[in-house]
Amino acid sequence: MSALVALAEVAQFLQAGLLDALQLAVETATGPAGLALIAAYSFLIAIVLPLPSEIVLAAPLDLGLSYELKMGLIILVSAVGKAAGSVVALKLGNEAKESGPVLDLLRRSRFDIVAASERKTVAIAQQYGYIGLALALCVPGFPDTLSIYAFSVLEEDYAKFAVATFFGSAGRLVLWLTAWKGLVALLPMV
């Protein structure tokens, strides 16, 4: 339980201004170190950061790769980072099921994870299982942290959970890139 309390304290500390700094760091990440930052950011999104995961697509990595390869690499690194973070979140979620004080702490957090898990996300998880988790993570703009913790209360298979998170995360980023390309194609040439 002390790990959960420490994690909640880290989340509160990050929310006190460091969130903007972390998001800016990802937006300006370059080179191979930028990939490590993208992985760390994606890992933290799965556990404690209620930030948009799509921001990793804006990282101006300069790796000497074509645009397509660069975006593919960003998607892969981000999805792997989030899948790894989801395993930690699943472990924490499973511990939370057995701890009344942890549930109380989650209820007092900025985002009421317990209430979110008691609503529609849990219904999706119960009806569609791991495919539902992947689909929920594909929803643009919805905080990944909420979906991951909501599903973690119901699931226990770490490998399947990580795979579903990987595909959901990658799917979301592919959707964003596809929408962006479509929007750019519709804009008149200036």
Side-chain angles (χ1 to χ4, degrees):
M1 181 171 131
S2 62
L4 291 174
V5 172
L7 186 62
E9 289 175 3
V10 168
Q12 288 176 345
F13 178 71
L14 288 172
Q15 290 175 1
L18 289 179
L19 292 177
D20 292 335
L22 183 59
Q23 189 167 336
L24 179 63
V26 170
E27 290 172 356
T28 59
T30 61
L35 288 174
L37 188 57
I38 288 169
Y41 178 81
S42 299
F43 179 86
L44 290 171
I45 283 175
I47 303 169
V48 295
L49 297 179
L51 295 174
S53 60
E54 300 83 0
I55 202 68
V56 300
L57 296 173
L61 296 180
D62 185 13
L63 301 170
L65 302 172
S66 69
Y67 174 79
E68 290 78 14
L69 284 175
K70 180 179 91 166
M71 288 296 116
L73 189 57
I74 288 173
I75 290 169
L76 176 67
V77 168
S78 178
V80 167
K82 200 175 305 170
S86 76
V87 171
V88 173
L90 178 57
K91 175 77 172 143
L92 294 172
N94 285 333
E95 289 177 10
K97 286 189 283 192
E98 300 164 9
S99 176
V102 171
L103 290 177
D104 291 340
L105 179 66
L106 291 173
R107 283 188 181 100
R108 291 190 310 264
S109 70
R110 180 174 168 204
F111 294 97
D112 191 351
I113 296 167
V114 175
S117 68
E118 292 171 349
R119 293 193 302 261
K120 193 150 191 132
T121 308
V122 167
I124 293 169
Q126 290 172 331
Q127 186 171 0
Y128 300 107
Y130 295 105
I131 292 172
L133 171 58
L135 292 173
L137 289 171
C138 282
V139 176
F142 191 74
D144 296 332
T145 313
L146 293 178
S147 295
I148 289 170
Y149 275 104
F151 278 83
S152 74
V153 173
L154 302 172
E155 303 298 340
E156 295 185 4
D157 188 319
Y158 290 91
K160 289 180 182 176
F161 199 78
V163 168
T165 303
F166 175 87
F167 282 108
S169 300
R172 172 188 255 177
L173 296 176
V174 168
L175 283 173
W176 270 96
L177 277 179
T178 304
W180 177 252
K181 284 179 120 179
L183 179 64
V184 168
L186 291 175
L187 294 176
M189 298 303 254
V190 178

